[in-house]
Amino acid sequence: MTPEEIAGTLTELFGTESVVAIASSSWQIDTPNFRLLVLLSEDQTWLRVLLPLMPIKEAEQFLTQFLEANFDETQEVRYATYDGVVWGVYQHNSGTLVSADFASAIARLIFLHKAGLNDVFNRLIENRVRQIVVAAKQQGQSLQATMQNLERFYAEGLMGEIDQTAAAREEVLAAWQYQLERLWNEIDVK
């Protein structure tokens, strides 16, 4: 893609008022929800699209999940860290890039921005529930016995919030029940 084609695609996606050329081969897209940067290398052979997602302080405990997502889920875009920020990044050779792939990558970056920590948090939780299932199965516990242990932990205050209402506790336990039932038969320990 040439700089003109890049500018044209950005204008189609975001409108002329949102796209600002900050140099002959760099653009900034400002919307109420995000700021997207599109940069060509000096020799104009590589394109990089950057979208700041969150401060690294918010994401530190999820860095493993971000890397797993890079391997498994993010498709053509990646999570990266730089200067105290977690970024969504897309890089491609500009000579072989076509407008449809460029627009698709931007849409994927915006999806990562909207998802925030939700997807990586859910991945972390699922990994933890899997660990509980493995430990319970290694101890020879049944699904019902594992659920009873969790209920006891909540009743004794080992898990949950101190001022948690009975209704809130039941809601959390229902979520545990759902996750355990969903993963129990999927995990084989031998």
Side-chain angles (χ1 to χ4, degrees), residues 64-75 79 120 123:
T64 299
Q65 287 70 36
F66 281 118
L67 291 174
E68 287 174 355
N70 276 350
F71 185 81
D72 223 14
E73 297 169 4
T74 59
Q75 298 173 9
Y79 289 106
V120 293
R123 182 185 277 264

Side-chain angles (χ1 to χ4, degrees), residues 96-115:
T96 58
L97 183 61
V98 296
S99 182
D101 291 340
F102 179 48
S104 174
I106 289 172
R108 192 81 183 136
L109 287 170
I110 293 169
F111 174 81
L112 292 182
H113 184 269
K114 287 180 182 174

Side-chain angles (χ1 to χ4, degrees), residues 148-175:
Q148 286 173 349
N149 282 338
L150 288 170
E151 289 171 354
R152 190 187 74 212
F153 292 155
Y154 275 91
E156 293 174 0
L158 297 173
M159 293 177 74
E161 302 294 324
I162 291 175
D163 57 351
Q164 190 173 37
T165 66
R169 185 174 65 230
E170 290 306 314
E171 187 176 319
V172 169
L173 287 170

Side-chain angles (χ1 to χ4, degrees), residues 13 31 41 69 74-75 78 87 89 96 100 125-126 130 136 149 153 155 174 176:
L13 293 172
T31 74
S41 61
T74 59
Q75 298 173 9
R78 297 285 176 260
W87 297 80
V89 178
T96 58
I125 295 302
E126 182 166 319
R130 285 179 182 278
N149 282 338
F153 292 155
W176 273 106

Side-chain angles (χ1 to χ4, degrees), residues 4 12 16 26 45 47 60 83 91 96-97 121 124 126 131 134 136 141 143 148 152 168 172:
E4 295 76 24
E12 285 176 29
T16 55
S26 302
T45 58
L47 173 84
E60 281 178 331
D83 200 25
Q91 297 184 114
T96 58
L97 183 61
F121 178 77
L124 174 67
E126 182 166 319
Q131 291 172 349
V134 167
Q141 287 184 10
L143 171 62
Q148 286 173 349
R152 190 187 74 212
V172 169

